[in-house]
Amino acid sequence: MLGDFLSLDGRVMRTLPSLMLRPGKVTKEYLTGKRQRFVPPFRLYLLTSFIYFVMLFAYGDSQGWFDIRYANQGGVPVTVDTEPPEGVTQEDMDAAMEQAQQALDEAGVPVDLEVVGVPPDVPGVSSGGDAGFTGTNTSEHSSLFREDGRVNRDQILNSVRDSDDFDDGTKQFLEMVIGHAADAYENQGMFFASIQNWAPRIALALTPAMILLLTIVYPFSKRIYIYDHVIVSLHFQSWYYILLSVAFLFFWLGLDWFVFVLFIAPPIYIYRMLREVYSSGRILSLLRTGFILFSLTLMLQIFFVILVIVGAFEVTPVAGGLS
């Protein structure tokens, strides 16, 4: 596919500039029969979506979005004897503590070294005399997480089972959800790998979704066919994947202002595309653009929820709930 796409027959140069800068022009010419001049729509869609997801996960890795670490960043407070070792001043001790805390934060270790000294009446924690580290989890998340950062399943499940607010069927459903969520949290590497595996597949559902939306906004036109909607949908998604891929390059360079382009460009592109391909009037094109954008935003949120659910459910058979 790469070899065919990048072949020196001129189709790429005739397709991409017009697709990006002249909304609807490539689509209209393709629908009128000038198909040999351009890259086939589905092949263009496959390649642009591939490039987009590669850029997405590469950028996410560079920003630490997929770091494998526990989300309990509240920290496990660790106490240190208030008396510095012999020959070490209190200032040196404080400086060493700050360096140690910074190293732990950079490594993502959920430990808080800012607590110095322990009241003598705290059970299970030594107070003075013994140099070194002792610890207890006094985090606000202590009821949800164990000291090792894992989910406190027993306490959460018992609170659900003892609740009078749910019937037995709801309790069983909540227990299943809690189990899958805990498995995903405790096995974040597998969870993020599943997300990366399923994201391109679930994104394919946007194509029939947009075809359906175009069918709804153009219900009775005898000169418009489902095939026209298919080509419009593929070309729009290809354009958007290219725009997002370019956006990641801008973000890598620290040019965050490009985010405004991501908000402004899609409505303008859809509006002009509808005007060019379907010869719609200005008011109707504007109303149809608003409906399509609102529906696509709602569908994206639904697909994201489905993606998270699928990723969590795929982790459990591997983890077995034993992590």
Side-chain angles (χ1 to χ4, degrees), residues 273-291:
M273 193 174 197
L274 297 182
R275 293 266 296 157
E276 178 72 20
V277 176
Y278 298 108
S279 301
S280 299
R282 290 186 176 89
I283 302 300
L284 287 178
S285 295
L286 189 62
L287 294 175
R288 286 162 174 159
T289 298
F291 173 76

Side-chain angles (χ1 to χ4, degrees), residues 296-312:
L296 284 178
T297 302
L298 182 61
M299 289 179 180
L300 281 172
Q301 296 174 356
I302 295 174
F303 290 154
F304 178 77
V305 173
I306 293 174
L307 178 62
V308 173
I309 293 174
V310 170

Side-chain angles (χ1 to χ4, degrees), residues 160-163 166-175:
V160 172
R161 293 164 184 159
D162 296 339
S163 175
F166 310 110
D167 55 30
D168 293 339
T170 303
K171 290 181 179 179
Q172 292 179 358
F173 174 76
L174 291 176
E175 290 177 9

Side-chain angles (χ1 to χ4, degrees), residues 35-110:
R35 300 176 183 176
Q36 296 299 322
R37 294 166 48 85
F38 305 107
V39 178
F42 190 68
R43 185 172 299 170
L44 178 66
Y45 165 81
L46 287 179
L47 186 60
T48 54
S49 63
F50 169 76
I51 294 173
Y52 162 69
F53 282 108
V54 169
M55 295 291 292
L56 170 64
F57 294 128
Y59 181 78
D61 286 336
S62 71
Q63 299 300 309
W65 293 353
F66 310 118
D67 282 357
I68 303 172
R69 63 177 65 182
Y70 292 116
N72 182 21
Q73 298 299 320
V76 178
V78 176
T79 62
V80 181
D81 195 342
T82 55
E83 293 296 331
E86 184 178 355
V88 179
T89 64
Q90 185 65 47
E91 290 76 12
D92 293 338
M93 189 73 174
D94 293 340
M97 288 281 289
E98 292 179 4
Q99 294 179 2
Q101 184 65 64
Q102 183 178 0
L104 290 170
D105 292 341
E106 292 176 354
V109 179

Side-chain angles (χ1 to χ4, degrees), residues 18-31 232 235 269-270 272-278:
S18 295
L19 180 71
M20 297 304 297
L21 303 176
R22 304 182 65 181
K25 177 177 175 56
V26 174
T27 307
K28 187 173 184 178
E29 292 194 12
Y30 191 89
L31 292 174
V232 170
H235 277 165
Y269 193 91
I270 293 178
R272 294 186 59 185
M273 193 174 197
L274 297 182
R275 293 266 296 157
E276 178 72 20
V277 176
Y278 298 108

Side-chain angles (χ1 to χ4, degrees), residues 137-152:
N137 191 348
T138 58
S139 167
E140 60 181 356
H141 303 293
S142 59
S143 61
L144 298 178
F145 300 96
R146 304 190 322 221
E147 290 187 4
D148 60 358
R150 297 184 184 277
V151 178
N152 193 342

Side-chain angles (χ1 to χ4, degrees), residues 10 48 58 69 122 146 150 186 202 234 253 259 280 295 322:
T48 54
R69 63 177 65 182
V122 177
R146 304 190 322 221
R150 297 184 184 277
E186 294 178 352
I202 294 179
L234 290 174
L253 296 174
V259 70
S280 299
S295 302
L322 300 176

